[in-house]
Amino acid sequence: MARHKLTLKRKRLIAAVAAVGAVAGGLGIAAGANASESKKQPVVKIVVRSVLAPAATADVAPAVTYDTTLAPLGARVQVKEELRRDGGTRIELRLRDLVANRAYGAHVHTKPCGRLPADAGPHYQDQADPVQPSVDPEFANPDNEVWLDVNTNKDGSARAIATVDWRFRAGGARSVVLHEKSTATHEGHAGTAGARLACVNVPFK
């Protein structure tokens, strides 16, 4: 009789272990699905948030303005870079407290911001144009450069997203520059967008 009870207990124990294993297996499948899903998500590499400061403070300020009328002091800027799983890059620009209902051009540039607008250098290009300044649509285009043109709303806020199928060369892209008008696309003027109004340092990866 004792042997029978022991056997019955063992059977119940085995059944319980099997049930736990089944649950764990189910959880494992769910976890695997979540892991697989997470691999599809982009990886955030850098986020820069700042406000526009006077150009004279460019050696210490993350972001500066060269035109306080069109890019007021204290206007807010955020730049996010994400490295996509497919080898591409996604860049997002958010702006607040600019002039309302206005078009601005914006691009990724090769050098950090400085006291002078030209200090940020030319646009970053995946395939560099051998002729500089680059105004050839074959090179100065949103597939070979990062264009982040915006139109502000009634509150002076705007958001732009650019996605390219390549990644920046190490140390090759260092800032985002805001321009006075939308980016031109025609021969001889491609990539131009008027005066440089403001600049934000971004250590792109």
Side-chain angles (χ1 to χ4, degrees), residues 140-163:
N141 62 68
D143 294 321
N144 193 47
E145 301 182 348
V146 176
W147 294 7
L148 294 158
D149 291 13
V150 297
N151 288 283
T152 59
N153 63 16
K154 62 183 178 61
D155 299 317
S157 299
R159 175 174 177 256
I161 294 174
T163 302

Side-chain angles (χ1 to χ4, degrees), residues 186-197:
H186 56 288
E187 184 75 36
H189 295 275
T192 62
R196 301 181 183 194
L197 305 178

Side-chain angles (χ1 to χ4, degrees), residues 50-68 71-73 75 77 112-117 176-178 196-201:
S50 189
V51 297
L52 299 184
T57 65
D59 54 338
V60 294
V64 295
T65 176
Y66 307 110
D67 186 323
T68 56
L73 288 170
V77 57
C113 309
R115 296 191 176 198
L116 300 177
V176 172
V177 172
L178 187 69
R196 301 181 183 194
L197 305 178
C199 180
V200 54
N201 288 314

Side-chain angles (χ1 to χ4, degrees), residues 52 64 66 71 77 79 93 95 104-114 116-124 146-150 174-181 183 191 193-202 204:
L52 299 184
V64 295
Y66 307 110
V77 57
V79 180
L93 172 67
L95 299 160
Y104 292 86
H107 318 104
V108 172
H109 282 244
T110 60
K111 296 181 180 180
C113 309
L116 300 177
D119 289 343
H123 296 180
Y124 180 91
V146 176
W147 294 7
L148 294 158
D149 291 13
V150 297
R174 307 304 296 169
S175 61
V176 172
V177 172
L178 187 69
H179 293 258
E180 67 172 330
K181 56 186 178 182
T183 308
R196 301 181 183 194
L197 305 178
C199 180
V200 54
N201 288 314
V202 185
F204 290 105

